[in-house]
Structure formats: C-alpha cells, structure tokens
Amino acid sequence: MAEGKKLVIVESPTKMRSIQGYLGDGYEVLSSVGHIRDLADKKDIPADKKQAYGKYSIDIENGFDPYYVESDRGRKTVAELKRALKGADELLLATDEDREGEAIAWHLLETLKPKVPVKRMVFHEITKDAIRAAVDNTRELDLALVDAQETRRILDRLYGWDVSPVLWFKVQQGTSAGRVQSAATRMVVERERERMAFVTASYWDIDTHAVKGSDSFAARLARVDGAPLARGTDFDDTGSLKKAVLVLDEAQAGELAEAIAGVGEASVSALESKPGTRSPRAPFTTSTLQQEAGRKLSMSAKHAMSVAQRLYEKGFITYMRTDSTALSTQAVQAARQQAVAMYGDASVPLNPRTYASKSKNAQEAHEAIRPSGDTFRTPASVAAELDRDEQRLYDLIWKRTMASQMSDAKYETTTVTLAVDAAGRRAEFTASGTVYTFKGFLEAYEEGKDEKRGDADKADDQALPALAVGDVLRLKDVEPKGHTTSPKPRYTEASLVKALEEKGIGRPSTFASIIDVILNRGYVSKRGQALIPSWLAFSVVRLLEEHFADLVDYDFTAALEDDLDAIARGEQKREDWLKEFYFGSEGHVGLRNIVDNLGEIDARALNSTPIGDVATLRFGKYGPYLEVADPQNPEGEPRRVNIPEDLAPDELTPAKARELIDAPVAGDRVLGENPANGKLVVVKDGRFGPYVQETDPPSADEVDAETGEIVEPAPAPKKRGAKKEAAPKPRTASLFKSMSVDTIDLDTALRLLDLPRVVGVDPETGAEITAQNGRYGPYLKKGTDSRTLQSEQQIFDITLDEALAVYAQPKYGARGASSALKEFENDPTSGKPIKLKDGRFGPYVTDGETNATIPRGESADDVTYERAVQLLADKRAKGPAPKRATTRRTTKKTPAKK
C-alpha cells in the first residue's frame, strides 16, 4: 500500500469493489469477508485455559469473558489487512451499521491493533454522495452496540450448549435448541395442534344471480325471517356456535332454494352506499420486505435477503437490515416527484407522509429500505444491470417506496338487500360492490395478504348495476351451497415472519436464518408455501415446554430482545444481565438452576402421542411410527405400522390411523429361483429403500400360494446356553430409482444381484473395467480410477468401447462440458468459460478453478452470467473452507475503552 493512503475495511468483497470506485486513489478498500473470529469450539481451547473456558468457551465465573479464535480464513484475511495497514496513515472501519457490523469492527480493531488513527465510517446506501458523506462524518466505535452483540452471542451459546444435550439423550442425536429457533418451532407446532384439535362444523346457505335487464350479479342468502344465517366465523374450534344464528341443514336449504326458485324474483328492499378511504403502507422494513417477497414473488425469507444484499452492495437500494419506516427528506422528495411525473399532481397529498417506527432501539439503521440516491432509478432503467430476481425485488421496493408517499385511495361500497317471500318465509339476499372513485396509491402498489380463516365466506367484489328500492329483479341459478368450517391456516414463511415480529421474538435481520434453521433441522418442512411441523418437532417442543418452560415462553423470549436493545442503548450492563440470566435472581430461576434440577425425564412418554384410542404414535430412532397393541395379547409385543412420509400430523386422525393399521401388509414377494444356485430371489421394501435378496428356499407352508409372499414362521424356541452361529450374509442389491417393488421381474433382479458387472478389459493396461452403483450414483471403475455414468441403465448397457471412450476423456474438463446445464462467457478474473452444473450437493457454477454453490432458495434456471461471475468472485474472496481454528487468545474489551 502506498504511503499516505487511508485503509477502508468493509465486510463484503462486492461492496469493496463498489466503494473503491467512489473513493479513488487516496484510499485502499479491503474486505474482512464477514467475521474474522468467533467463540472457540471446545477442542480449540488450550490446556491451560480448559478449567476456566472449557465448557462454553466462556469464563462464566469471571464476568462471562469469551474466548475468541480466528478461523483459517480469518487468519489469512488478518495477515492481508495487517500488510495493508503498515503503509496507511488512517484506518476507516466501514462495516455495516447494525450490531453485527459494529462487533465485526471491534474484532478488527482488537486483532489488528492499529497504531494509526481509527475512525468508524457508516453509511446506509452505496452511492458516491453517501460514501463521500460517510468519510466526512465519521464517529467513534459504539461499544454499547458491541456489548449487545456479544451478549446475544454468549446467551445463544449458553442456551444451546446447555439445552441441546438434553434433546440428544431424550429425543434424537443431532437435535438442537436455540433461544429463538425453539420459540419459532413451538409456534408452528402449536398451530398444528390447533388444527389437530379442530372439530369441523357444517352449514348451508343459498347462492343466486339477480338479473336486471342485461346486467346480473351474484347474491347470497343472509337472513331468513330476520334471523342472520350462520357463517364460518360463527363457529369456534370445537364446532360450537359462538352466537345465536340460524343454521340450515342440507334438507332445509334444498327446500327453501326450491321454493325461492319457484317464485323466481325478488325486490330491492334496501340500498346503502358508504364512502371509504385506504391509506398506503409504510416503506419496507426488513420484516415487511420478507413478507411481501414471499407473498408476491414466492421467495423464501433467506432468498429475499440474499437478493436484497446484492442490490444493496451494487448500490441500488439502501441498507436492507432495518426496523425503521422513516425516509430521509431527499427520499421523500424523490418519491413524490416520481409519483407526480407518472400519475399527475393529484397522486400525492399536500404534505409529505411520515411513518412512526416501532423499533425501540434508536441506534439501529435509521432509514427504511428504498431505492438509493436522491433520484430513484426506474425498474426499466436498471433492468440491464440486474438479474431476474434482483429486478423483481427492486421493482417491489421501488413501487412500495413511491406508493408510501402517494394519496389515499377513495372508494364507495354499495350494499343491496333483495327480499323474496317463499313457502311462508321471508328470505333476504345481499350483494356488495365497491367502486374506486380515486385510485391514489393503488395506481402504483397494493400490499399482498396472507390467507385467513373465514376468507371463503367473503363475497367477491363485483360491479352492481344502477338500482333503486322497489326494483324487481329476476332470480336465476338458485342453488343451495354446503360449507364446512376450516381450522386456522398453517404458517407460511411470510405469516411466520409477521407473527415473530408481532410477538417480539428475534429481530427482523434474523428471521430468515431462524426459518432456515428450523427447515434444515427437520423440525419443519414445506408443502407449497405452508410450513408443516414434523413429529420430531412435536417431541422437541414437548420436552422444552415441560422442562424449560421459561425458555420457550413467548413473553420471556421477547423480553430478552428488549433487554438486548437496552444494552445496545447503554441502559443496561452486559455482565449484570448475563449473571441474572444464567445464575438467576428473585424474579428469574436462571438457566443453570433449570439444567441442574431437571429431574427424571421419561423419554418414552415424551415421544408418544395418542391417536384417539386407536394407536399411539411414537417417535423413535428411525422416525415416527404407530404402535398398536394386540387385542388378543395386550401384554405381548405391540405391532408397528409405518407412517407415510408425506402425511402431515393433522392428517393422522384416528380414522386415518385405522386405515393404515388395516391396510394389507406388504410382505416379501418371491420373484423366482436363481438357476445358478437354487436360492429364491425375493424383493423387499426396507428402511433404506427397495432391494432384492437371495434366500434359502422356504418350506411349502411358508409361501402364500395366491400372493407369492413369504409368511414368516414362528421362531423356534431358544436353547438355554446355546451359542448362536453367525449365518453367512445373503446377497442383496438395491433397486434402481426407475424400478418398482411391484413390477420388477426375476431377470432384472438377477442382473442386479450380479453387480458389479464386468464391462471388459482395458487392452492397454490389462485392468478390468466394471460398472456398478454407489452411494453417489452409477460409475465405472478401473483399478482406483472411477468415472461417473450419466444414468443407472448404463450399468447394464455400456459397452467396452463406450467405457474406453469415457476413460479417454480428461477426468475433469472435457466431460464436464457435456454435463453442463448452461454455459456462459469467460470469467473476467480467470479468463476461463463459466459453466452451470448439477453436482452432488446441488447446482453450482465453475470456471474450472473455482466452484460456487447456487444459494438455497435460488433457482438454477434463473442464474445469469452476471450472477455467476458474482458467485465465483465471492467464493474466491472467502478463500478455501476453514479446516481448524487457531487458539490464539486476543485482548478482551476493557472498561477504559468505554
């Protein structure tokens, strides 16, 4: 680094390149690539530190002092930063302006130990003006924010490392608990419990079409003899009515509909019109952006944040982690000017709109998510610079920001009541129509909605003809309609994010990672957009509720977030708060006291759920199953019944359980005899999938003559003291993915059992070439040299010449081209062509030197050349995957620095 330059350290390599262009030659901009160090793993704590730090990498007896270590990547980054710092006359720490960014800046300061002046540089958008303003308006490092982040990290380590081992022993190895993930999992499980306990109620009404001249509109029966007709919202979750309404059954509705159809007309008995207004929503916060991206763009929370991060780093939007709904004066002016230019002077109100922020933490990012700059670029003007997802999300942010400053929408809702006397009863139908007299902000944007219970009862909006009281209208298509009540809809990612925010659990910047964790842990799966809890989640949540009630209490979890905010504002001391959380106080038991006094936990009861009086669902080592007692021998070994993987918990009703129990048991189907050895070939469906196996021929009474299934004989009584001899293992072979237990024949089974298949001998080396199936798919093997095959069928079909042609190609390179999903131009850094491939761990891009996985939630089909270049650049900047953390202890914070 040239003498006299200023060193600027940011978090992201993408951001680094953008900012370098704005600052020019007097600055060198480098990246920390996120955190350079973290709490140590147990194995990385040196022997002389084990007693103090060994359990958590935290000395809980001495101020909860953390033991930090650098990763291999962190060490390399630090070495590069130190070299650059030697020639600098000033250091600018330009990490993100939230708690995490402040903590990264502090870790850099502690590790680099600069001898030149240090300044904290913050900005919330990456534009030339914003970056220059940030350089001119630096501040000191905010140690209260650092304390808040460190407290959260220590809190999560204490919580996870104390609670998770209990789950390992009582539920399943590999499970984990977390301060926020456990509360989120509980919310999804509780919603499923409500659905399981829900009792359906039925009700009937009558639909018709009213006709006036050439116009017609839909109407629904609302009252009979003045009594309001039941709707879905009138029933509670037990199927009982919450208020006095009229419930028609099928017969009553049918008789009334027939009588009304016989009359054939109705008169307008009432006509009511009401004006109304709708106001625009506030600009996006992190939470509302995730919700809308889910509703409108079908993006997961994680994917939405990944796309927003790219837009921010490229300079298209402001910082995407914020609780604030405020807009700067310049942004308000830009939004209003754009609205006027597109929709006219009346599209904006006389005075700019302001929105109150819900965040109590004034030190978080101070502006909503919006297009960057003092003049907003339209989506059309930036389309060439963005990939598909970036373009869609930018369009959403641009529209929401502009709409937030536009005028209210004005409308008029007209409700008409139609009366008809039939069969001695007075029936009243209603219909509503809304007409917008001024669309206002709706010209630009309308917020999406989550599914709600009772939506089915809402009549679709429609246009009504000109009507007057006393008008007689013809009725057609008078039909009785049956309805059943429905439970609350399952959470989607969008509605779960909204619920987490409403309860104060977690922070918007963490919602995406929370949902990602509970999906990856197997606690929750997705069916379409709906989040469905697994039976594993039921067991985990039950244990936490029964033995760690405080830790999964929503109010307690939310209070922790408020306390962290108080620490961030400097209103509470980190050490005092951690001491109370861990050791307890008069108002709080304390984590250590809970863990030390757990008592006995009945794992069997914990993992059992009665399914009516039909069976008991148990969650075992290999997943959930039904346990059914033998009514003839209640004390005997109960029968186990597998549960289909795609069956949601609320779908496992007593009736469904009975259906599974009574279903015919698929035994081992005999395919025939192997003529080479006289053994029977049997096809089975095992825990790891279908397979064929050779067995010794059974006696005649062990084979069902009709089905060909082997009937297991009763086991012979064991002789006391007899030592069991190890039986030779029978030959087995897994079925190919294209094969079925029901259709496989003997010839195919014998071919499977004879694998690996000898393709031939390499004439040059004399080595035998075999084709076989492995853990990662079909492949050829010649000595120690293996090559992937493109399909399982090639194991049977590939010839020696074809196999030699495969080996004649380079192991990496030429063959890879043929398997590429897409091919792009040369990478600007390596100069080599970029290819999109489908690998063992999913789709990835490569230039032959660097591989970069397509992030979860992104579609391989949507990857563009620009996105591929960015993924490879980010991967190069991160360096090789960390192997082992170093154990160098770095200086802890001292009160003097505060």
Short mmCIF file of all heavy atoms in Angstrom, two decimals, residues 782-801:
data_model
loop_
_atom_site.label_atom_id
_atom_site.label_comp_id
_atom_site.label_asym_id
_atom_site.label_seq_id
_atom_site.Cartn_x
_atom_site.Cartn_y
_atom_site.Cartn_z
N LYS A 782 -11.89 -48.71 -12.81
CA LYS A 782 -10.73 -49.40 -13.40
C LYS A 782 -9.58 -49.24 -12.43
O LYS A 782 -8.99 -48.16 -12.35
CB LYS A 782 -10.40 -48.82 -14.77
CG LYS A 782 -9.23 -49.52 -15.46
CD LYS A 782 -8.97 -48.94 -16.85
CE LYS A 782 -8.45 -47.52 -16.80
NZ LYS A 782 -8.01 -47.03 -18.12
N GLY A 783 -9.31 -50.26 -11.65
CA GLY A 783 -8.32 -50.11 -10.59
C GLY A 783 -8.82 -49.12 -9.57
O GLY A 783 -9.88 -49.30 -8.97
N THR A 784 -8.07 -48.03 -9.38
CA THR A 784 -8.50 -46.98 -8.44
C THR A 784 -9.11 -45.78 -9.17
O THR A 784 -9.48 -44.79 -8.54
CB THR A 784 -7.29 -46.48 -7.61
OG1 THR A 784 -6.28 -45.99 -8.51
CG2 THR A 784 -6.73 -47.60 -6.76
N ASP A 785 -9.21 -45.88 -10.51
CA ASP A 785 -9.73 -44.77 -11.31
C ASP A 785 -11.22 -44.98 -11.58
O ASP A 785 -11.62 -45.97 -12.20
CB ASP A 785 -8.97 -44.69 -12.63
CG ASP A 785 -9.29 -43.42 -13.41
OD1 ASP A 785 -10.09 -42.60 -12.90
OD2 ASP A 785 -8.75 -43.25 -14.51
N SER A 786 -12.07 -44.08 -11.08
CA SER A 786 -13.51 -44.21 -11.28
C SER A 786 -14.03 -43.02 -12.09
O SER A 786 -13.48 -41.92 -12.01
CB SER A 786 -14.24 -44.29 -9.94
OG SER A 786 -14.01 -43.12 -9.18
N ARG A 787 -15.10 -43.27 -12.87
CA ARG A 787 -15.72 -42.23 -13.69
C ARG A 787 -17.24 -42.34 -13.53
O ARG A 787 -17.80 -43.44 -13.57
CB ARG A 787 -15.35 -42.37 -15.17
CG ARG A 787 -13.86 -42.28 -15.44
CD ARG A 787 -13.30 -40.91 -15.08
NE ARG A 787 -11.86 -40.86 -15.22
CZ ARG A 787 -11.24 -40.51 -16.34
NH1 ARG A 787 -11.95 -40.18 -17.40
NH2 ARG A 787 -9.93 -40.49 -16.39
N THR A 788 -17.88 -41.19 -13.40
CA THR A 788 -19.34 -41.16 -13.22
C THR A 788 -20.05 -41.50 -14.52
O THR A 788 -19.64 -41.05 -15.60
CB THR A 788 -19.78 -39.77 -12.74
OG1 THR A 788 -19.14 -39.49 -11.50
CG2 THR A 788 -21.29 -39.71 -12.55
N LEU A 789 -21.12 -42.30 -14.41
CA LEU A 789 -22.00 -42.57 -15.53
C LEU A 789 -23.20 -41.63 -15.46
O LEU A 789 -23.57 -41.16 -14.39
CB LEU A 789 -22.47 -44.02 -15.51
CG LEU A 789 -21.39 -45.08 -15.78
CD1 LEU A 789 -21.95 -46.49 -15.57
CD2 LEU A 789 -20.82 -44.94 -17.19
N GLN A 790 -23.83 -41.41 -16.61
CA GLN A 790 -24.93 -40.45 -16.67
C GLN A 790 -26.25 -41.04 -16.20
O GLN A 790 -27.16 -40.30 -15.82
CB GLN A 790 -25.08 -39.91 -18.10
CG GLN A 790 -23.86 -39.18 -18.61
CD GLN A 790 -23.45 -38.03 -17.70
OE1 GLN A 790 -24.25 -37.18 -17.36
NE2 GLN A 790 -22.19 -38.03 -17.28
N SER A 791 -26.41 -42.37 -16.22
CA SER A 791 -27.66 -42.99 -15.78
C SER A 791 -27.39 -44.38 -15.24
O SER A 791 -26.38 -45.02 -15.59
CB SER A 791 -28.67 -43.07 -16.93
OG SER A 791 -28.26 -44.03 -17.89
N GLU A 792 -28.31 -44.87 -14.41
CA GLU A 792 -28.17 -46.22 -13.85
C GLU A 792 -28.28 -47.29 -14.94
O GLU A 792 -27.64 -48.33 -14.85
CB GLU A 792 -29.24 -46.44 -12.78
CG GLU A 792 -29.02 -45.63 -11.52
CD GLU A 792 -30.14 -45.79 -10.51
OE1 GLU A 792 -31.32 -45.79 -10.94
OE2 GLU A 792 -29.84 -45.93 -9.31
N GLN A 793 -29.08 -47.03 -15.97
CA GLN A 793 -29.26 -48.01 -17.04
C GLN A 793 -27.95 -48.32 -17.74
O GLN A 793 -27.73 -49.43 -18.25
CB GLN A 793 -30.31 -47.52 -18.04
CG GLN A 793 -30.72 -48.54 -19.09
CD GLN A 793 -31.33 -49.80 -18.48
OE1 GLN A 793 -32.04 -49.73 -17.48
NE2 GLN A 793 -31.04 -50.95 -19.08
N GLN A 794 -27.01 -47.35 -17.75
CA GLN A 794 -25.71 -47.57 -18.39
C GLN A 794 -24.92 -48.68 -17.71
O GLN A 794 -24.04 -49.28 -18.33
CB GLN A 794 -24.89 -46.27 -18.37
CG GLN A 794 -25.32 -45.24 -19.40
CD GLN A 794 -24.39 -44.06 -19.41
OE1 GLN A 794 -24.42 -43.24 -18.49
NE2 GLN A 794 -23.57 -43.94 -20.42
N ILE A 795 -25.22 -48.95 -16.45
CA ILE A 795 -24.53 -50.04 -15.76
C ILE A 795 -24.74 -51.35 -16.50
O ILE A 795 -23.84 -52.18 -16.63
CB ILE A 795 -25.05 -50.16 -14.30
CG1 ILE A 795 -24.73 -48.89 -13.52
CG2 ILE A 795 -24.45 -51.38 -13.61
CD1 ILE A 795 -25.33 -48.86 -12.13
N PHE A 796 -25.95 -51.53 -17.03
CA PHE A 796 -26.28 -52.75 -17.77
C PHE A 796 -25.87 -52.66 -19.25
O PHE A 796 -25.52 -53.66 -19.86
CB PHE A 796 -27.79 -53.01 -17.71
CG PHE A 796 -28.30 -53.44 -16.36
CD1 PHE A 796 -29.63 -53.23 -16.03
CD2 PHE A 796 -27.47 -54.04 -15.43
CE1 PHE A 796 -30.12 -53.61 -14.80
CE2 PHE A 796 -27.94 -54.41 -14.19
CZ PHE A 796 -29.27 -54.21 -13.86
N ASP A 797 -25.93 -51.44 -19.82
CA ASP A 797 -25.85 -51.30 -21.28
C ASP A 797 -24.50 -50.89 -21.82
O ASP A 797 -24.20 -51.15 -22.99
CB ASP A 797 -26.88 -50.27 -21.76
CG ASP A 797 -28.31 -50.68 -21.42
OD1 ASP A 797 -28.52 -51.88 -21.12
OD2 ASP A 797 -29.20 -49.81 -21.44
N ILE A 798 -23.66 -50.22 -21.04
CA ILE A 798 -22.45 -49.63 -21.60
C ILE A 798 -21.51 -50.73 -22.12
O ILE A 798 -21.33 -51.78 -21.49
CB ILE A 798 -21.73 -48.75 -20.56
CG1 ILE A 798 -20.66 -47.88 -21.25
CG2 ILE A 798 -21.14 -49.57 -19.41
CD1 ILE A 798 -20.12 -46.77 -20.37
N THR A 799 -20.94 -50.49 -23.30
CA THR A 799 -20.03 -51.45 -23.91
C THR A 799 -18.58 -51.11 -23.55
O THR A 799 -18.30 -50.02 -23.03
CB THR A 799 -20.18 -51.42 -25.44
OG1 THR A 799 -19.76 -50.13 -25.93
CG2 THR A 799 -21.63 -51.69 -25.85
N LEU A 800 -17.66 -52.02 -23.89
CA LEU A 800 -16.25 -51.77 -23.60
C LEU A 800 -15.75 -50.57 -24.38
O LEU A 800 -15.01 -49.73 -23.83
CB LEU A 800 -15.42 -53.01 -23.95
CG LEU A 800 -13.90 -52.87 -23.76
CD1 LEU A 800 -13.56 -52.54 -22.31
CD2 LEU A 800 -13.18 -54.15 -24.20
N ASP A 801 -16.13 -50.46 -25.69
CA ASP A 801 -15.68 -49.31 -26.48
C ASP A 801 -16.18 -47.99 -25.88
O ASP A 801 -15.45 -47.00 -25.83
CB ASP A 801 -16.18 -49.44 -27.92
CG ASP A 801 -15.44 -50.54 -28.68
OD1 ASP A 801 -14.36 -50.93 -28.22
OD2 ASP A 801 -15.97 -51.00 -29.72
#
